[in-house]
Amino acid sequence: AQSVTQPDIHITVSEGASLELRCNYSYGATPYLFWYVQSPGQGLQLLLKYFSGDTLVQGIKGFEAEFKRSQSSFNLRKPSVHWSDAAEYFCAAILTGGGNKLTFGTGTQLKVEL
Amino acid sequence: GAVVSQHPSWVICKSGTSVKIECRSLDFQATTMFWYRQFPKQSLMLMATSNEGSKATYEQGVEKDKFLINHASLTLSTLTVTSAHPEDSSFYICTSAGSTDTQYFGPGTRLTVL
């Protein structure tokens, strides 16, 4: 079955430290991949997406993600975390040609220590 | 990115009443909209796909007679929770799908059924 896995439920980092949030997918073919961020009580904001081409994708707020086909991964990174980055992060995927149905990972709650 | 609005943002109702949630795509025409629900501290689960001018497609386990979806125009989809019960309390989020397989999220509607 198609699935998206985020192994880390919670992550705590110090402000200024680097960040990597893990995401793995299980699809027969390479899906379209997304990272979203959700602040408490809010909707989701798209950070970045990968459809094809360059496997290193730049997004908003200084985030980037790297698609690695061999590892079926699409990990999100940021070189230096800010306190305002504390939020819930969701990795999601759409199977190409799959009618735009997004499958979400379970989310990673990021806490930033000052 | 595109702008999607939801109304109301927060609603409290009595058990047994019906609640209508509106989702509007403000700056582009969306032939397809999606409805998700999110329980506290959990991921988003797709409820149904709303297609303009046709019946919605519901995901397995979602009661179509309880969650009525109407997509009467290219900019408006409504979700009506009929005979709401406390277990229907959740965060309901709609998205509008553009032509590039990117979904734009509404801010969500918090439903609390007493």
Side-chain angles (χ1 to χ4, degrees), chain A residues 32 38 49 51 100-101 105, chain B residues 38 43 59 100-103 107:
Chain A
Y32 293 166
Q38 184 181 35
K49 60 189 177 185
F51 287 176
N100 282 2
K101 286 188 178 181
Chain B
Q38 184 182 29
S43 189
E59 295 300 300
T100 58
D101 287 314
T102 299
Q103 293 186 28

Side-chain angles (χ1 to χ4, degrees), chain A residues 3-56:
Chain A
S3 66
V4 177
T5 303
Q6 293 179 246
D8 305 304
I9 299 175
H10 297 98
I11 282 186
T12 300
V13 299
S14 299
E15 189 176 37
S18 63
L19 171 71
E20 182 169 33
L21 302 181
R22 296 183 291 166
C23 173
N24 294 95
Y25 64 90
S26 173
Y27 280 75
T30 300
Y32 293 166
L33 297 161
F34 306 80
W35 273 99
Y36 289 91
V37 60
Q38 184 181 35
S39 297
Q42 303 292 316
L44 274 70
Q45 181 182 23
L46 178 67
L47 287 175
L48 47 78
K49 60 189 177 185
Y50 172 78
F51 287 176
S52 65
D54 193 344
T55 57
L56 184 62

Side-chain angles (χ1 to χ4, degrees), chain A residues 32 34 36 38 41-46 49 51 88 90 94 96-97 99-107 109, chain B residues 32 34 36 38 41-46 49 57 59 91 93 97-98 100-108 110:
Chain A
Y32 293 166
F34 306 80
Y36 289 91
Q38 184 181 35
Q42 303 292 316
L44 274 70
Q45 181 182 23
L46 178 67
K49 60 189 177 185
F51 287 176
E88 184 91 17
F90 292 97
I94 291 176
T96 54
N100 282 2
K101 286 188 178 181
L102 271 171
T103 298
F104 283 87
T106 50
Q109 182 71 47
Chain B
T32 303
F34 298 88
Y36 294 83
Q38 184 182 29
K41 299 187 184 301
Q42 294 188 28
S43 189
L44 283 75
M45 299 299 294
L46 179 64
T49 303
T57 304
E59 295 300 300
F91 194 51
I93 303 174
T100 58
D101 287 314
T102 299
Q103 293 186 28
Y104 300 96
F105 282 75
R110 172 77 57 195

Side-chain angles (χ1 to χ4, degrees), chain B residues 40-92:
Chain B
K41 299 187 184 301
Q42 294 188 28
S43 189
L44 283 75
M45 299 299 294
L46 179 64
M47 298 176 65
T49 303
S50 170
N51 299 296
E52 188 268 335
S54 65
K55 291 183 179 180
T57 304
Y58 290 83
E59 295 300 300
Q60 191 172 11
V62 178
E63 299 175 61
K64 62 181 181 181
D65 294 330
K66 181 168 186 62
F67 299 100
L68 300 179
I69 291 173
N70 183 278
H71 193 158
S73 77
L74 288 171
T75 59
L76 174 64
S77 175
T78 60
L79 168 67
T80 301
V81 183
T82 63
S83 186
H85 290 282
E87 58 265 30
D88 299 323
S89 298
S90 188
F91 194 51
Y92 292 88

